[in-house]
Amino acid sequence: MTVIGVFALQGNVREHLAMLAQVGVEARPVRRPSELAEVDGLVLPGGESTTMDKLARSFELFEPLQKRIADGMPTFGTCAGMIMLANEITGGIEGQETLGGLDVTVRRNAFGRQVDSFEADLTFAAFDSPYHAVFIRAPWVERVGRDVEVLSTVSSGPDAGWDRVGPEAERSRIVAVRHDRLLATSFHPEMTGDARLHGYFADLVRDL
């Protein structure tokens, strides 16, 4: 059976494990390198990206994670997990590092603070109906590399900086991307009860 791990040092670990089990894979928490070595893919959950960085280093997981991602392990980053996957971040703290691999620039806390959390229905080409997304201190993608596929955008949000972008038709922010075996969303798919994105990722892992 396909085995997908969830980075379990911070974030909504239990919720992601439940969603993965719902789509028919074996889901395991990952806290140490030996557990990472046993999974076929990994979810990096939401949380606090700087804390995730420090904890990964404390548990000697940072470098093994970097290597597995560089070697092609399918990885799904949600919210802070998107930041951890990005090659470049803006709005981070001094010296903040990422695992990298995803050829994008991500703005940390782009949509505002906790009180600015919001929900929106998103369109995905892979899905027949809108996906209801929950944004909490969410990042957005400011730049995508040439090989990165934009999966979804949002045209709402409390602090989306619409005065700094073009005409009404262009007023959208990138909130879901895929780059080869890496998938990332600005929002929290584990909080909606809709398992389609976890299923999408599970299929990506199975197709290896």
Side-chain angles (χ1 to χ4, degrees):
M1 178 180 281
T2 299
V3 179
I4 297 180
V6 179
F7 178 91
L9 299 178
Q10 196 201 30
N12 291 342
V13 178
R14 182 176 60 184
E15 293 84 350
H16 278 292
L17 290 171
M19 296 290 262
L20 289 167
Q22 188 176 329
V23 299
V25 300
E26 183 178 339
R28 300 180 184 175
V30 171
R31 298 182 180 89
R32 32 185 82 81
S34 60
E35 295 167 340
L36 177 65
E38 296 174 348
V39 302
D40 303 306
L42 184 76
V43 173
L44 294 169
E48 211 294 315
S49 57
T50 55
T51 302
M52 291 170 71
D53 177 12
K54 292 175 183 176
L55 287 171
R57 294 177 190 279
S58 295
F59 282 75
E60 300 183 340
L61 196 55
F62 190 91
E63 290 185 1
L65 270 173
Q66 269 191 325
K67 185 175 188 310
R68 284 293 310 269
I69 292 168
D71 288 345
M73 177 182 67
T75 307
F76 181 11
T78 68
C79 198
M82 170 187 267
I83 297 169
M84 291 293 288
L85 281 180
N87 282 351
E88 184 179 21
I89 58 173
T90 58
I93 66 171
E94 185 176 352
Q96 183 174 355
E97 293 185 47
T98 68
L99 295 166
L102 185 61
D103 187 13
V104 298
T105 301
V106 171
R107 177 168 292 278
R108 185 171 172 264
N109 295 341
F111 284 105
R113 299 171 298 166
Q114 189 88 11
V115 296
D116 299 313
S117 301
F118 69 102
E119 301 180 19
D121 289 330
L122 307 180
T123 298
F124 281 82
F127 304 150
D128 294 333
S129 59
Y131 187 98
H132 191 72
V134 178
F135 294 82
I136 302 173
R137 295 180 63 200
W140 67 48
V141 177
E142 297 199 329
R143 178 199 63 84
V144 295
R146 63 187 302 176
D147 296 323
V148 176
E149 179 185 2
V150 175
L151 299 180
S152 190
T153 63
V154 69
S155 56
S156 59
D159 186 24
W162 308 127
D163 57 325
R164 300 193 298 275
V165 298
E168 189 72 31
E170 299 176 9
R171 294 184 178 185
S172 61
R173 295 296 186 184
I174 299 169
V175 293
V177 294
R178 177 179 174 181
H179 183 191
D180 194 16
R181 297 176 181 174
L182 303 181
L183 177 67
T185 65
S186 299
F187 50 89
H188 289 261
E190 78 284 3
M191 297 182 68
T192 63
D194 187 337
R196 285 180 292 174
L197 271 169
H198 287 80
Y200 181 93
F201 179 63
D203 287 342
L204 191 159
V205 179
R206 292 187 186 107
D207 288 344
L208 287 179

